Amino acid sequence: MLQEVVSAQLPVGEKLAIQKNRIAGANPEARRIAVVTGTHGDELEGQYVAWKLARLLEKKRDRLHGTVDIYPALNPLGISTIYRGLPGFDLDMNRIFPGSSTETMYEYIAQGIVQDIAGADLCIDIHASNIFLREIPQIRINEKNAQELLPLAHFLNMDFVWVHGAATVLESTLAYSLNDIGTPTLVVEMGVGMRITESYGNQLIYGIFAAMNHLGMLDEPYIPVAPPIVSTDGHVGFVNAAESGIFLPRVSHVERVEKGQTIGIISNPFTGEISEKLLSPISGMVFTLREYPLVNEGSLIARVLGGAAS
C-alpha cells in the first residue's frame, strides 16, 4: 500500500511528496524493515531492488511476519531530472540529515524521512556509487557502530564489508543519523551510476530475505549466504590520478593485482603521450575501478582490497 511519508508545497503550486510502499504481513507491529534508495538522482541500482523486492514480497505475504517499508525515491526530483543532488539547490541530499523543521524545505523533508524510519529493526540504505566509479556489492559501516552492525551485515549476501574509520564518515548522512538514534542502518554500495546491474540487485534481494529470515520475519527455511570479506581502512589501497587526461584501464574490475602492477594509464589526446602510468600500491583485488574515462588531477581511479588470493 502506497503511503505518503512527508510532503512540502513547491512554489509553482505542485507538491513534493516522499512515498513508501508498505507491505505488511501477520503481526505487522512485531518487526519492521526499511529499504531506502534514490537519495542521489543518478543512482538507479536501487530502483531495480525496490521493484523486484515488492513483487516477490507480494508472493510471500502469507509467510511474512511484520512490515517491510520500501522507499524507492528519497529524492524524486533528482531521479526524474537525472540529477545527483537536489535540483535547484546544488546540494547533496545525503549531507542534510537528520534535517530540521525550522530550516529549508529539504531539511524539513529530511527530518520527516528520519522520523518515519526511526524505530525500524533494520534499515538498508542502497546506493550505486556514481557515474565515475564501478563498485562490487559491498556494505560500508562506521567503526563506531561495527559491533552492532557487522552481525547483520553478514546476512545481506554482499561480497565485501568495509569498516570505515569514524573520522572518514560524514555525520550528516542518513545512515549516520539513523544509527545515532538507535536504528540499525547498513549502507549498500554496488554497481555504477545511471545503470542497473540486475545480478547485483538479485544478490542483495536474496540477502534481504536472509536478514528477514534471521529476524523472524519470513516463515521459510533457513536461507544460507556466503560470508563476506570484512576489511578496515588499513587494508584498502587507493589509486589517484596525478595528471589530468583520459584514463584507459589495464586491469578489469574484481581482478587480482600485484603491488606495482599497472592499473591503467592516463593518455594525452593532444600529444599522443602517456601522461601517467598508475600502479597498484598493494597486492589484492580491485573492488573499485574508474568507469568514466575523463580524469582530473586527484581523481579516484581504483581501490584495492589488500590480502592474499583465496
Side-chain angles (χ1 to χ4, degrees):
M1 177 174 60
L2 290 183
Q3 297 181 358
E4 183 175 292
V5 174
V6 60
S7 65
Q9 289 298 132
L10 294 173
V12 291
E14 295 178 318
K15 186 172 79 171
L16 171 62
I18 309 301
Q19 293 182 303
K20 67 181 179 184
N21 182 7
R22 167 156 285 190
I23 302 172
N27 303 316
E29 306 295 329
R31 291 280 191 178
R32 178 162 60 97
I33 279 186
V35 179
V36 306
T37 191
T39 309
H40 297 123
D42 61 349
E43 297 180 359
L44 303 180
E45 301 278 6
Q47 299 304 302
Y48 172 78
V49 175
W51 169 75
K52 188 159 185 179
L53 181 62
R55 289 173 65 83
L56 293 174
L57 281 173
E58 287 296 340
K59 296 177 181 176
K60 295 175 180 284
R61 192 186 282 266
D62 62 334
R63 286 161 278 166
L64 174 63
H65 296 268
T67 298
V68 179
D69 285 332
I70 302 173
Y71 304 69
L74 297 191
N75 177 13
L77 294 181
I79 291 176
S80 61
T81 56
I82 321 174
Y83 186 77
R84 182 171 179 80
L86 296 167
F89 289 83
D90 194 24
L91 192 65
D92 186 335
M93 188 177 189
N94 213 21
R95 300 291 181 272
I96 62 171
F97 290 100
S100 167
S101 62
T102 58
E103 302 296 332
T104 67
M105 176 189 73
Y106 276 117
E107 286 176 283
Y108 169 77
I109 293 287
Q111 183 191 53
I113 292 169
V114 169
Q115 290 177 341
D116 197 74
I117 299 172
D121 294 281
L122 174 63
C123 175
I124 301 166
D125 182 14
I126 305 172
H127 292 261
S129 185
N130 51 42
I131 64 170
F132 303 105
L133 300 167
R134 177 172 289 278
E135 301 279 2
I136 65 170
Q138 62 193 265
I139 294 171
R140 296 182 183 175
I141 293 174
N142 180 349
E143 66 177 3
K144 175 183 170 185
N145 308 112
Q147 186 173 1
E148 178 187 11
L149 296 181
L150 265 175
L152 290 168
H154 276 72
F155 288 101
L156 282 195
N157 200 34
M158 297 285 94
D159 296 337
F160 172 41
V161 177
W162 185 2
V163 182
H164 281 276
T168 63
V169 178
L170 296 169
E171 297 182 1
S172 52
T173 63
L174 175 63
Y176 186 96
S177 300
L178 287 170
N179 280 314
D180 201 43
I181 59 173
T183 301
T185 302
L186 297 171
V187 176
V188 171
E189 290 273 358
M190 60 183 186
V192 65
M194 293 190 181
R195 298 288 184 274
I196 286 177
T197 313
E198 291 191 31
S199 60
Y200 288 175
N202 292 334
Q203 184 177 340
L204 175 58
I205 290 168
Y206 187 88
I208 292 173
F209 287 147
M212 290 174 62
N213 189 298
H214 167 71
L215 293 171
M217 295 181 66
L218 267 185
D219 187 15
E220 292 184 343
Y222 171 71
I223 301 173
V225 296
I229 302 169
V230 179
S231 186
T232 62
D233 287 335
H235 297 116
V236 175
F238 291 76
V239 181
N240 292 85
E243 302 287 342
S244 300
I246 303 298
F247 171 67
L248 300 173
R250 292 295 177 262
V251 297
S252 301
H253 193 215
V254 198
E255 182 175 333
R256 177 172 174 81
V257 297
E258 300 301 326
K259 181 178 180 179
Q261 183 175 337
T262 302
I263 296 289
I265 62 171
I266 295 179
S267 61
N268 186 333
F270 287 101
T271 65
E273 297 174 328
I274 294 175
S275 303
E276 185 182 3
K277 198 177 278 189
L278 298 149
L279 307 179
S280 177
I282 59 175
S283 298
M285 176 186 68
V286 179
F287 72 94
T288 303
L289 186 61
R290 185 84 182 180
E291 181 83 5
Y292 192 76
L294 182 64
V295 300
N296 295 312
E297 180 182 347
S299 294
L300 179 62
I301 300 297
R303 295 188 187 102
V304 180
L305 175 62
S310 58

